[in-house]
Amino acid sequence: MAEQSLPVVDEGAPAQESPSSREGISRRALLGTAGATGLVLGAAGGAAGYAAAPAAATPLTSIGSDEVMFHGKHQPGITEGLQACGHLVAFDLAAGAGRKEATALLRRWSETARRLMAGEVAGSHDTDVARDAGPSSLTLTFGFGHSFFSRTGLEKQRPVALDPLPDFSSDLLDKARSNGDLWVQIGADDALVAFHALRAVQKDAGSAAKVRWQMNGFNRTPGATAHPMTARNLMGQLDGTRNPKPSEPDFDQRLFVPESGTPAWMANGSYAVVRRIRMLLDDWEKLSLGAQEAVIGRRKANGAALSGGTETTAMDLEKTDAQGTLVVPVNAHARITRPDQNGGAAILRRPFSYHDGIDADGAPDAGLLFVCWQADPLRGFVPLQRKLDRGDALSQYIRHESSGLFAVPGGAAQGEYVGQRLLEG
């Protein structure tokens, strides 16, 4: 639903339900196809993954074989397409743990992420949960919360952009499920692959850190629709229509800290705002289709603006009907969140939906695990959310129940681990 901003709807990101353009076959995928193609890898090949496949093995499907590279300019899990399954988990450093323990932990996590994203075993104590699967577009992304820097004696390296978010009128935040010293985002196109990574990360934490909170989410499985399309959320709305696109000249500028940015260790990094946004679905589903579309400002069927055209047609904010009424209501979510209505503020939405059962009153505990990316939250999420706070029609159908802001450093080069420039700088 959001034109670009909010935590919940229409204008967001390469938030597409199709397999991303992640190319490359993992070692495990090659092993699985060796018999069918006649490729000879040698006896040592099986040691990298679980085991060499028998000669008659069926090649992995495209979903299973998709691999995202761990090493790179930016961390994975930011610009890749939406994955079918996700876990968001925050950790607090254990009592007495500091910079030394955090450094060792990030080394372990980085090596585990590299191995699992390549379709290899997690290590000598692998649980075998993902034994039969390929990488399945697995990504692991790591970030630091505001409290991490005081816990490790690195206060002077804490970015100004990591200052706590302001209070918003729609907030009903559970502090126990907000913030944290460390944050890990896990995504994959297979549920077992994602869970396998989650367990590996939790085990790697050992005595250095303990889980503060964990949230589990999902999106539509790649290939479930007749053609690639913008994702839908649990309100049935297309969610991510106006996300910044990599083809746009200012894409990197909006999303990533520049090489010359400060602090230096955040070069090529980004800031993630994470919010658990409950959708009041019982109330929402009582609305007529026309009323729902007026709240959002877009057609539910195809995401087109109420002013006409297709999903990608520019919204005409001045168009009126025969009675002189604006066809896109003044408080419509899509109108309020447009960048040109917010001084150019834009975010890259990359959410997961969630459903955590039924409350005691019978209402579904369901909604959006909202994750948005920007080079500076004070120029991205904050101005957009302030604008929404002042009169978004969607506000009465959602509730912000937890929140976090994390500094996500740039990607690790070959031989490096995530956060090395901070922890060893």
Side-chain angles (χ1 to χ4, degrees), residues 27-246:
R27 230 173 258 180
R28 187 186 302 160
L30 282 172
L31 291 171
T33 58
T37 61
L39 178 65
V40 178
L41 295 179
Y50 286 105
T58 302
L60 286 168
T61 65
S62 60
I63 291 177
S65 63
D66 279 345
E67 179 183 354
V68 182
M69 297 296 104
F70 172 71
H71 294 294
K73 183 177 181 180
H74 309 297
Q75 283 198 60
I78 301 176
T79 59
E80 286 78 18
L82 295 182
Q83 295 132 307
C85 312
H87 301 289
L88 307 179
V89 56
F91 292 81
D92 285 335
L93 291 172
R99 183 172 177 177
K100 177 182 176 182
E101 290 76 15
T103 299
L105 175 55
L106 267 296
R107 284 184 182 275
R108 292 195 297 273
W109 274 351
S110 296
E111 176 59 14
T112 293
R114 183 197 65 77
R115 294 175 65 93
L116 294 183
M117 287 174 57
E120 301 173 7
V121 295
S124 59
H125 300 292
D126 192 274
T127 61
D128 286 348
V129 171
R131 170 179 285 272
D132 309 305
S136 303
S137 300
L138 174 67
T139 60
L140 290 94
T141 318
F142 304 98
F144 304 113
H146 186 274
S147 56
F148 176 82
F149 296 85
S150 56
R151 298 293 305 277
T152 55
L154 292 166
E155 292 97 329
K156 292 183 179 179
Q157 292 297 320
R158 182 164 50 211
V160 174
L162 203 56
D163 285 351
L165 296 172
D167 294 329
F168 300 106
S169 63
S170 57
D171 286 354
L172 289 171
L173 305 181
D174 178 355
K175 292 184 178 179
R177 291 194 296 181
S178 299
N179 300 311
D181 293 341
L182 294 156
W183 176 68
V184 184
Q185 174 190 254
I186 298 168
D189 284 333
D190 178 78
L192 287 180
V193 168
F195 178 80
H196 180 234
L198 174 66
R199 290 296 297 143
V201 164
Q202 291 172 336
K203 290 169 67 177
D204 277 350
S207 60
K210 59 181 180 180
V211 173
R212 178 180 177 88
W213 53 259
Q214 179 191 319
M215 301 174 189
N216 311 312
F218 58 90
N219 285 304
R220 182 170 273 162
T221 301
T225 55
H227 54 81
M229 60 181 292
T230 306
R232 289 189 185 274
N233 60 35
L234 299 188
M235 287 179 161
Q237 300 291 150
L238 295 185
D239 192 340
T241 298
R242 287 189 56 86
N243 256 351
K245 307 295 190 295

Side-chain angles (χ1 to χ4, degrees), residues 73-74 243-256 258 346:
K73 183 177 181 180
H74 309 297
N243 256 351
K245 307 295 190 295
S247 58
E248 295 170 354
D250 60 351
F251 180 80
D252 280 0
Q253 179 183 337
R254 289 174 181 267
L255 257 69
F256 298 110

Side-chain angles (χ1 to χ4, degrees), residues 327-382:
V327 296
V328 180
V330 68
N331 63 346
H333 181 75
R335 173 190 283 267
I336 291 176
T337 57
R338 282 170 54 105
D340 58 4
Q341 301 294 300
N342 296 282
I347 57 176
L348 178 70
R349 302 163 52 82
R350 199 175 183 279
F352 292 95
S353 293
Y354 77 88
H355 180 219
D356 289 340
I358 303 296
D359 276 354
D361 60 2
D365 183 3
L368 199 70
L369 300 182
F370 172 79
V371 181
C372 76
W373 299 91
Q374 58 261 287
D376 183 351
L378 293 179
R379 293 187 289 111
F381 173 79
V382 171

